Amino acid sequence: MPSQITNYQCPSCTGPLHYDGASGKLQCDYCGSSFTTAEIEKIYQAKLEEAEQAAIDEATQAGGENNAEEDWDSEQNIWDAKQDGMKIYNCPSCGAQMICDATTAATSCPYCGNPSVVPGQFHGMLKPDYILPFRLSKEQALDSLKKYYQGKKLLPKAFSRTSHLEEIKGVYVPFWLFDGKAVADTSYRATRVMSVPHGNEMVTTTEYYDVRRSGTVRFTRIPADGSKKMPDDLMDSIEPFDYTDLKPFSTAYMPGFLADIYDVDDKESFERAKTRSSTTALEILDSTVSGYSSVTPRERQVHVQRERTVYALLPVWMLTTRWNNKNFIFAMNGQTGKFIGDLPVSMGRYFAWFAGIAVPLAGILTVLLKLM
Amino acid sequence: MRKAHLICFATVLAFLLLLTGMCFAENQESLPYYVSDTAGLMTSEEWRKLESTAENISEQYGCGVYIVTLQDYRDYGSYNNFWDFSEAFYTRYNMGLGEARNGILLIMSMAERDYSLLAYGRDAHYAFTDYGKNVLENRFLDNFMRSDWTGGFADYINGCGELLGRAAAGEPLDVSYEERSGLPDEVSTGIIIGLPLLVGFGACEGMRRNMKPVKPRSRADEYIVPGGINLSLKRDVFVNRTVTRTVIRTENRDSGFHGGGGTTVNSHGFSGHSGKF
């Protein structure tokens, strides 16, 4: 039975290849040769098709009767894994069994370390339209983490010293990119107040206006991640990505990185894009109401029409550190380098800063009030 | 009989003042009394008593304590306001004692219930601070509101005596720390404690928020298509108009006390203010 997994090997020495973001080529870890993605795609086309067919075959079999023979041959833990929605693959390099999430599309063998791609995960509707290749390396992600700690006044001193990096992985995260337009219609009650002194009286004229605004705002490629594993707020926080670098999807960009297929469909993800575009459209209309003393919104209606949806894999470095039995997750945009993550707060430092600001200020105020 | 004498005295005094007022800017004369009641607000007995007290205090401290009442200051010439008249009056009648012409004058014009309280001379400014004059004024104005003229004048003269006494002891009545800041104790304490706590908390919360920057995005500004904003309706319809009129409360009476300590002396060498009683 053909393997569902492909690992890209160097055509020169059969060593494992990995995608290098800086050069935009696949490089051999052993002989140092480098190849363009087009070259590798050409060489591995047949193998990829074979792997994809194997996946389709397995899916067809799973749809029919249970393969009793396979069940009896499998070990109990593998059976359990299948029950949990996991998938089992054999590493084409060392033959070891790899148990992966049902959504895993690219990984590396935990035994031999060879990067592996599961082309079968990308057949049919699951095939992304685009991929945004990694531009930044693991070393740059580590550097960014160190820099990220700098200047954080409330960071516990011990954190940067004693926290240890649990995991760093480059992940192609499935994203839905939505095109659409928000059609908004709003009305306001506005007033314009003018006060003019007249003799010994102040004459205040208040004019009331009924204000209406309607308009459309077109959006393109609002991203919303389609992975349950990835925290939505973290993925939002590393935006924006530069879409001009988007490439037609190819698994050749994946060796050396992890990749998932989506497990949150476009319909569900669209709700997030819809909320964002509605808010922005209303704010744009609000900003056109000017020259008034007061503006009170009355009716606000927005209808967001979804137009084109693109499915793309976007590059994210995920870093996990552990400190005081707690995990801290950071994410770096694998293309732009935008780094973000929540950090622990030292309450000792918090109160030290508090006292450092409040006490001298109290002293200054005491002196100033005495002088007044 | 007493009343007749008083009317006669007031008439003569008014005539003299009017006569001298005609050439106000040219000549300098001295008033014969510390208390000159041309408006006829007191009996001769009351006048005598007040005059005697004012004289004693003035001579004791070397600073003239004066009261002048008039029917209408406009009878004495054309002045921009009552304060200008008051200054001119003090100068015209060469008021004040000693070389520095130290003195304090309470002058009233009954026609429009104007009064001025002005001091002149270094020692007078030292004794009658802005705050001191304000305290003094509060003493007699309540009497004047009840038309208790003699009571008000007595309070004024006695008050002047107290202020001059304090100045002689080297402790002129001036604003205390709380009054200088214009804030009551509780407010000052509130500011000294509350504001630093608020600023400290605000700054620390800012730093804490900086430690937790991960937030879901609520806007999509950067994904707007260039030229993708189309405002199809922009309508501002006038509905109605309301007009309200409120009387501007003008405070004619300048309290003269502005919260600071010491004495504010104008370019003519006078301190004080005018107002209505």
Side-chain angles (χ1 to χ4, degrees):
Chain A
M1 185 175 164
S3 174
Q4 291 181 45
I5 284 200
T6 300
N7 56 6
Y8 291 92
Q9 290 170 320
C10 174
S12 310
C13 71
T14 70
L17 290 173
H18 74 270
Y19 180 78
D20 177 52
S23 63
K25 288 181 175 179
L26 286 133
Q27 286 190 331
C28 175
D29 294 339
Y30 291 91
C31 69
S33 306
S34 63
F35 306 90
T36 63
T37 51
E39 285 169 340
I40 293 299
E41 274 169 10
K42 199 175 168 188
I43 295 166
Y44 278 86
Q45 189 57 39
K47 212 172 173 183
L48 287 170
E49 280 168 10
E50 198 176 78
E52 206 170 314
Q53 189 55 48
I56 295 164
D57 290 348
E58 197 201 62
T60 316
Q61 271 184 5
E65 290 178 17
N66 282 341
N67 188 334
E69 199 179 323
E70 187 186 276
D71 284 352
W72 285 111
D73 287 348
S74 302
E75 290 174 23
Q76 188 59 39
N77 62 340
I78 295 171
W79 168 249
D80 289 344
K82 284 195 168 189
Q83 288 288 78
D84 289 341
M86 310 291 272
K87 285 195 173 181
I88 303 149
Y89 304 107
N90 289 318
C91 173
S93 291
C94 68
Q97 279 192 324
M98 296 187 289
I99 301 172
C100 304
D101 282 346
T103 55
T104 300
T107 185
S108 59
C109 174
Y111 300 98
C112 68
N114 275 331
S116 306
V117 179
V118 192
Q121 289 284 49
F122 297 121
H123 70 82
M125 292 290 287
L126 298 171
K127 186 179 177 184
D129 301 302
Y130 295 101
I131 185 165
L132 192 60
F134 270 89
R135 195 185 281 168
L136 300 170
S137 65
K138 185 193 271 190
E139 290 70 32
Q140 286 169 305
L142 285 168
D143 266 3
S144 297
L145 178 67
K146 282 178 198 159
K147 282 180 192 156
Y148 190 65
Y149 292 159
Q150 290 168 8
K152 299 287 191 294
K153 295 180 175 66
L154 301 183
L155 189 70
K157 241 181 181 176
F159 181 78
S160 49
R161 207 176 51 240
T162 59
S163 69
H164 42 263
L165 193 64
E166 289 268 299
E167 196 177 25
I168 175 164
K169 54 189 182 185
V171 187
Y172 279 109
V173 179
F175 270 84
W176 298 104
L177 310 179
F178 297 101
D179 286 2
K181 69 174 176 186
V183 182
D185 186 16
T186 59
S187 65
Y188 314 82
R189 166 56 71 93
T191 62
R192 199 173 280 156
V193 182
M194 289 159 286
S195 292
V196 181
H198 184 77
N200 65 341
E201 285 181 332
M202 183 61 79
V203 181
T204 305
T205 308
T206 307
E207 292 177 343
Y208 295 88
Y209 290 85
D210 188 11
V211 178
R212 266 196 80 184
R213 296 285 185 271
S214 297
T216 54
V217 182
R218 288 193 167 276
F219 297 92
T220 184
R221 292 181 173 174
I222 302 174
D225 73 276
S227 172
K228 284 179 185 160
K229 279 186 224 163
M230 295 294 166
D232 290 348
D233 52 359
L234 200 61
M235 292 300 103
D236 282 358
S237 301
I238 56 168
E239 286 177 25
F241 289 90
D242 179 4
Y243 296 136
T244 53
D245 284 346
L246 278 174
K247 309 279 184 213
F249 176 72
S250 165
T251 53
Y253 294 103
M254 291 184 168
F257 301 104
L258 305 181
D260 282 331
I261 53 167
Y262 71 83
D263 54 0
V264 180
D265 65 16
D266 55 335
K267 198 176 165 191
E268 200 180 325
S269 295
F270 180 64
E271 289 306 311
R272 286 168 56 203
K274 193 175 162 182
T275 308
R276 289 176 65 175
S277 46
S278 299
T279 309
T280 301
L282 286 174
E283 284 180 6
I284 287 170
L285 290 192
D286 289 351
S287 69
T288 64
V289 184
S290 57
Y292 292 103
S293 309
S294 73
V295 177
T296 313
R298 293 166 74 191
E299 286 174 36
R300 296 163 86 71
Q301 288 180 342
V302 195
H303 175 64
V304 180
Q305 292 171 9
R306 182 175 152 183
E307 291 171 345
R308 185 164 169 254
T309 305
V310 166
Y311 174 33
L313 296 184
L314 305 183
V316 180
W317 281 104
M318 297 296 295
L319 301 91
T320 311
T321 60
R322 195 161 175 78
W323 187 71
N324 274 0
N325 296 321
K326 271 169 113 179
N327 281 336
F328 293 89
I329 302 168
F330 304 92
M332 187 178 94
N333 185 318
Q335 183 199 30
T336 64
K338 186 174 180 185
F339 197 100
I340 207 141
D342 287 345
L343 290 165
V345 173
S346 158
M347 288 319 282
R349 287 194 157 203
Y350 184 98
F351 287 113
W353 271 98
F354 182 80
I357 294 166
V359 173
L361 187 60
I364 292 166
L365 282 174
T366 309
V367 173
L368 282 178
L369 283 174
K370 268 190 179 165
L371 289 175
M372 271 170 69
Chain B
M1 192 67 180
R2 255 183 205 173
K3 190 83 178 168
H5 276 143
L6 189 71
I7 292 167
C8 191
F9 167 74
T11 310
V12 172
L13 194 64
F15 177 73
L16 280 172
L17 287 174
L18 272 172
L19 205 66
T20 53
M22 289 171 186
C23 45
F24 217 58
E26 291 158 23
N27 300 320
Q28 283 206 335
E29 292 179 15
S30 294
L31 277 181
Y33 307 108
Y34 289 99
V35 180
S36 303
D37 180 26
T38 57
L41 300 178
M42 58 190 98
T43 63
S44 54
E45 187 58 34
E46 287 166 342
W47 172 81
R48 230 186 318 274
K49 212 170 169 182
L50 290 171
E51 172 66 21
S52 164
T53 317
E55 188 179 356
N56 289 340
I57 292 171
S58 300
E59 283 172 8
Q60 184 182 351
Y61 296 107
C63 177
V65 175
Y66 301 97
I67 295 172
V68 174
T69 68
L70 308 167
Q71 274 304 337
D72 189 348
Y73 78 94
R74 290 186 194 87
D75 296 338
Y76 298 88
S78 177
Y79 295 92
N80 289 334
N81 50 47
F82 189 60
W83 176 259
D84 287 353
F85 168 78
S86 307
E87 278 190 5
F89 192 93
Y90 191 96
T91 312
R92 164 70 187 85
Y93 287 104
N94 203 23
M95 297 169 94
L97 302 181
E99 206 177 307
R101 311 309 304 166
N102 290 303
I104 182 158
L105 166 66
L106 169 62
I107 183 165
M108 298 161 69
S109 173
M110 303 307 288
E112 292 197 10
R113 298 181 75 88
D114 294 300
Y115 82 94
S116 287
L117 180 67
L118 63 157
Y120 187 85
R122 197 190 58 197
D123 294 348
H125 293 319
Y126 177 68
F128 300 102
T129 61
D130 292 344
Y131 177 70
K133 283 197 280 284
N134 194 52
V135 170
L136 187 61
E137 195 179 64
N138 289 336
R139 278 197 187 182
F140 61 74
L141 280 178
D142 57 340
N143 295 80
F144 291 168
M145 280 194 313
R146 299 191 305 269
S147 298
D148 174 16
W149 312 114
T150 314
F153 295 141
D155 284 350
Y156 160 73
I157 293 171
N158 292 331
C160 288
E162 284 170 31
L163 294 181
L164 286 166
R166 285 187 64 139
E171 286 178 359
L173 182 67
D174 205 348
V175 280
S176 59
Y177 159 63
E178 292 80 13
E179 285 159 338
R180 266 186 211 194
S181 68
L183 299 168
D185 267 354
E186 310 81 61
V187 178
S188 298
T189 312
I191 289 173
I192 290 168
I193 295 171
L195 192 64
L197 290 180
L198 212 65
V199 172
F201 180 74
C204 288
E205 276 305 293
M207 285 190 255
R208 201 176 66 83
R209 270 197 298 277
N210 194 28
M211 303 291 282
K212 311 274 179 198
V214 177
K215 299 269 181 308
R217 289 222 177 185
S218 59
R219 304 189 50 160
D221 299 51
E222 57 267 75
Y223 303 103
I224 297 172
V225 176
I229 300 171
N230 175 32
L231 195 63
S232 54
L233 176 68
K234 189 178 179 184
R235 197 182 68 195
D236 297 52
V237 180
F238 171 74
V239 179
N240 65 323
R241 177 186 289 122
T242 60
V243 178
T244 55
R245 293 167 186 273
T246 47
V247 176
I248 303 167
R249 290 177 65 87
T250 50
E251 195 61 64
N252 285 333
R253 183 179 150 242
D254 173 10
S255 76
F257 176 57
H258 302 288
T263 308
T264 311
V265 180
N266 69 16
S267 57
H268 302 128
F270 288 95
S271 68
H273 49 270
S274 58
K276 301 275 186 190
F277 55 88

